[in-house]
Amino acid sequence: MSFTTPPRPVDITAVFPQLAPLARTATRLHPRPGSPSRHDSSVGGPLLWPADEPWPYCDGPHVPDGNPATSPQDVRLQRRIRAEAASRPSGHPRFTPEEVAILERIDAGRPWPKSPVAMLPVAQLYVRDIPLLRPPGRADLLQVLWCPFDHPPEPKPRTALFWRSAAAVTDVLTTPPEPAVVQFGGYVPEPCLLDPEQTSEYPNRMELTKELREQMQDWNTWQAAGAAPDSSYEPAPEEFYGNVLSIAPGWKVGGWTRWGLTDPVPRICPACGAELDPLLTIASSEWDESTRSWIPYEEQAHATPSIANPHPATPAETEIAGGYDLQLYACPASPDHPHTGLIQ
């Protein structure tokens, strides 16, 4: 299925012409559960990985947080059991006795790792599907993996990026290693196919000038432009800009940063001092109550949780830092320079 983001209800550049030169293109990835192959762009799917290239491992440290870990296999089994239970008619027991026993075993958890941890595939992006990507040399494929454990100073997984030429991979690793345990089930992405769609974004209001921010906070400015939002936004019309007009939610490539957990901070390459570019946003959800206007047309009739689809806003089943996004930034000067991640 193709997904189409509804047009924004207001042309923000007509209200605030200063924003026009600040527009950036973002590619919404729209991950949805499916069965991707190694030759597909995907989230949580199999990677086109050379058989003669070592699989990446994380050496840690993996410091126990007081809670038991779980295995990727148990995460997937738990999801299947809960999905089957949700599909049963009302009046039936939610779980069978066998399922209850399995869920109790899973909840008991497993010991934390004492050896290096195999990284998990997070995303595989072909440039043919996401032309916004700027690969080095002849590369046409970006692969993103992470260690499924938090690493300080922020509670986020450690990530690894690999650019490669798909045509150069002639002998494929068919059975990549998996970590024996993961810290959270939300660090095991559900395999998803993608339907990339380009959209325009504008900066978070915290990155705008003081003068422009003050104009956005003035209800009269919006009314004078004939673009007054719903009256619910009258006490704080700048929230209308933030929720509806500026930055798309969900998984995406490029675009602007969704600040909020912190104020804007410089993102500078430690190797050369260049300003880092937004590369990939790994999202905990595709929308929330404040960003429902971004729900694609094709899903609006099914955007409310139901028995058949209890989690429509979280198709990839990822959850980062309790529901935030992990935004990855890369150096425009060289793919060999370190990338960085930011929780917002």
Side-chain angles (χ1 to χ4, degrees):
M1 178 180 290
S2 295
F3 297 113
T4 309
T5 299
R8 299 301 82 203
V10 170
D11 179 1
I12 190 60
T13 61
V15 185
F16 303 104
Q18 311 95 307
L19 288 172
L22 301 179
R24 283 183 184 175
T25 300
T27 300
R28 302 189 71 188
L29 297 181
H30 298 307
R32 299 299 183 266
S35 300
S37 76
R38 293 176 177 83
H39 303 285
D40 292 317
S41 292
S42 66
V43 161
L47 303 184
L48 187 73
W49 193 271
D52 59 354
E53 183 175 325
W55 189 263
Y57 280 74
C58 177
D59 292 330
H62 305 111
V63 182
D65 64 0
N67 298 305
T70 188
S71 72
Q73 296 82 1
D74 280 348
V75 170
R76 299 178 185 118
L77 177 58
Q78 186 180 59
R79 289 174 183 169
R80 288 197 299 272
I81 289 174
R82 289 177 174 170
E84 291 173 4
S87 67
R88 290 175 183 140
S90 59
H92 286 245
R94 185 180 180 193
F95 298 111
T96 67
E98 293 80 7
E99 291 170 340
V100 170
I102 292 172
L103 293 175
E104 288 177 347
R105 176 188 62 77
I106 293 174
D107 288 341
R110 298 172 182 246
W112 275 55
K114 297 181 179 179
S115 57
V117 172
M119 290 185 138
L120 274 173
V122 176
Q124 175 167 270
L125 306 176
Y126 283 88
V127 174
R128 65 169 188 259
D129 299 320
I130 303 104
L132 192 62
L133 292 169
R134 292 181 293 176
R138 297 184 179 181
D140 60 358
L141 174 62
L142 172 64
Q143 295 170 328
V144 182
L145 300 91
W146 67 18
C147 170
F149 287 84
D150 285 339
H151 290 267
E154 290 181 301
K156 67 178 186 291
R158 179 177 292 163
T159 50
L161 308 180
F162 296 87
W163 287 101
R164 66 176 79 254
S165 167
V169 184
T170 55
D171 189 8
V172 179
L173 180 65
T174 57
T175 309
E178 274 203 333
V181 290
V182 301
Q183 186 172 359
F184 304 114
Y187 287 168
V188 183
E190 188 71 13
C192 290
L193 290 164
L194 309 181
D195 184 62
E197 177 198 21
Q198 290 193 347
T199 188
S200 293
E201 293 190 343
Y202 299 91
N204 182 286
R205 63 182 181 274
M206 289 191 287
E207 296 198 73
L208 302 177
T209 65
K210 180 181 179 182
E211 178 185 9
L212 188 50
R213 292 199 306 269
E214 290 175 347
Q215 292 177 22
M216 281 188 178
Q217 293 167 0
D218 186 352
W219 182 258
N220 293 327
T221 303
W222 297 84
Q223 286 187 313
D230 183 275
S231 59
S232 64
Y233 282 105
E234 184 171 357
E238 71 275 12
E239 295 291 339
F240 179 64
Y241 172 77
N243 294 339
V244 179
L245 304 177
S246 58
I247 298 174
W251 289 70
K252 66 179 182 179
V253 168
W256 282 93
T257 298
R258 180 178 294 279
W259 300 104
L261 186 61
T262 68
D263 289 343
V265 295
R267 289 137 292 161
I268 303 299
C269 176
C272 70
E275 183 175 357
L276 299 174
D277 289 338
L279 178 62
L280 174 67
T281 296
I282 301 168
S284 290
S285 67
E286 291 294 283
W287 65 80
D288 59 23
E289 285 304 310
S290 67
T291 56
R292 291 181 66 87
S293 74
W294 295 92
I295 298 173
Y297 280 126
E298 297 81 3
E299 295 186 308
Q300 290 179 359
H302 310 288
T304 300
S306 64
I307 292 177
N309 188 11
H311 307 292
T314 56
E317 302 266 8
T318 45
E319 183 177 347
I320 301 156
Y324 290 95
D325 295 347
L326 173 58
Q327 298 171 112
L328 303 184
Y329 298 84
C331 180
S334 173
D336 296 325
H337 290 177
H339 73 285
T340 188
L342 179 70
I343 297 287
Q344 288 293 327

